Amino acid sequence: MIVTDASEEQALHEIGQIVADVLQRMGKAIEPGLTTRELDAMGLRWLTEAGARSAPQVMYKFPGATCISINHEVAHGIPGDTVIQAGDLVNIDVSAEKNGFFGDTGTSFCVGEPTPGQQRLLQAGRDILALAMEVATAEAKINEIGRVISDTARERGYTFIRNLGSHGVGRSLHEAPKFIAPYYDRKDKRRLKKGMVITIEPFISTGAQQVSEAADGWTLFTSPRFQTVQFEHSMIITEGKPIVLTLPPQN
């Protein structure tokens, strides 16, 4: 969507802060022995208390309120009986709707103390998202986002998941601009517009380049020998820095 007035921006800020808060609270709640179903139930409760509805459930009848993916599960993991263990990389993606507006955010967490390799991977994911956001300005070519993601990942010694991209958001969970590639696509002539609402969500990996879909029809995964992280924000495009809608609340 393109934001046209202050009331729309305020509504986007509201849902953005809700999903950011729920994501942060879920991250703090992660501990060994907890099942992903139990963690998801917490997220659902906090969304409901804030007057929001799970976007994956509303839009796609997803069998969970949030997406929780562990280790080589990269995205769209279904909450269930999986027991979280020390050393796991857990990705939580929280997206929700309130009053017709959608927010979308995600973060990867390490359960307990990360190994040096996990710490470097997590930091690379955060850095790559921040650098990609720097080029997200009005009238910039959309493919510059992918250029930054892919170039920086390679510079850091990592790969990126080519078949998962960023997207428009706002009045729906996924809308125009559809599939913002995480690599430089010279054929993509689209440009960002002032007021446009998008996500940026690079998936950075120790070697994987593609995800496959599991038999459950939802979970996207790589080979178990790879570790992959994702960090995601929703934002409004301006002539300068984007307005980030999903920054964690400052307590």
Side-chain angles (χ1 to χ4, degrees):
M1 69 174 286
I2 302 291
V3 175
T4 58
D5 58 45
S7 66
E8 290 181 337
E9 183 173 335
Q10 181 177 355
L12 288 164
H13 269 290
E14 181 179 7
I15 189 59
Q17 285 300 284
I18 289 171
V19 296
D21 177 61
V22 170
L23 176 63
Q24 187 178 58
R25 294 169 75 176
M26 291 178 71
K28 290 179 178 178
I30 294 172
E31 62 180 9
L34 190 72
T35 68
T36 55
R37 179 180 286 109
E38 291 169 331
L39 183 60
D40 182 64
M42 297 178 194
L44 176 59
R45 183 173 74 251
W46 294 325
L47 286 174
T48 302
E49 289 172 353
R53 299 188 297 166
S54 162
Q57 290 182 337
V58 169
M59 297 295 299
Y60 304 116
K61 301 187 187 311
F62 181 72
T66 65
C67 300
I68 305 175
S69 310
I70 296 184
N71 295 326
H72 71 288
E73 296 174 347
V74 173
H76 303 169
I78 299 174
D81 296 328
T82 300
V83 177
I84 296 169
Q85 301 180 26
D88 283 346
L89 283 177
V90 180
N91 179 265
I92 303 175
D93 194 305
V94 180
S95 55
E97 176 272 339
K98 184 174 183 179
N99 298 326
F101 292 87
F102 288 74
D104 190 5
T105 189
T107 292
S108 291
F109 302 89
C110 184
V111 184
E113 189 68 25
T115 66
Q118 288 173 326
Q119 184 60 50
R120 287 193 297 271
L121 178 62
L122 289 161
Q123 190 59 54
R126 297 185 195 99
D127 291 346
I128 290 168
L129 172 57
L131 290 168
M133 287 166 56
E134 289 183 4
V135 301
T137 60
E139 299 308 319
K141 289 184 177 180
I142 283 179
N143 59 19
E144 288 301 318
I145 294 172
R147 187 199 294 272
V148 170
I149 291 171
S150 56
D151 286 357
T152 310
R154 292 183 182 116
E155 289 168 5
R156 298 286 185 96
Y158 298 111
T159 56
F160 53 92
I161 303 299
R162 298 181 64 89
N163 57 337
L164 291 175
S166 309
H167 56 88
V169 68
R171 286 290 192 175
S172 182
L173 181 55
H174 298 99
E175 58 182 64
K178 299 286 182 70
F179 193 72
I180 300 173
Y183 52 86
Y184 179 69
D185 180 1
R186 68 182 62 194
K187 296 180 181 178
D188 189 350
K189 305 301 183 184
R190 298 174 297 173
R191 291 182 181 270
L192 296 169
K193 302 298 181 184
K194 184 178 179 180
M196 183 179 284
V197 189
I198 67 168
T199 70
I200 299 180
E201 51 175 317
F203 291 80
I204 307 303
S205 180
T206 57
Q209 299 186 53
Q210 301 277 338
V211 290
S212 301
E213 187 176 273
D216 62 27
W218 295 103
T219 307
L220 302 176
F221 69 96
T222 69
S223 166
R225 69 181 184 274
F226 300 126
Q227 293 192 315
T228 304
V229 298
Q230 176 248 25
F231 293 88
E232 175 186 19
H233 278 310
S234 297
M235 66 204 70
I236 301 173
I237 300 302
T238 74
E239 293 176 345
K241 293 181 179 180
I243 299 169
V244 184
L245 301 166
T246 49
L247 288 174
Q250 298 299 312
N251 296 323

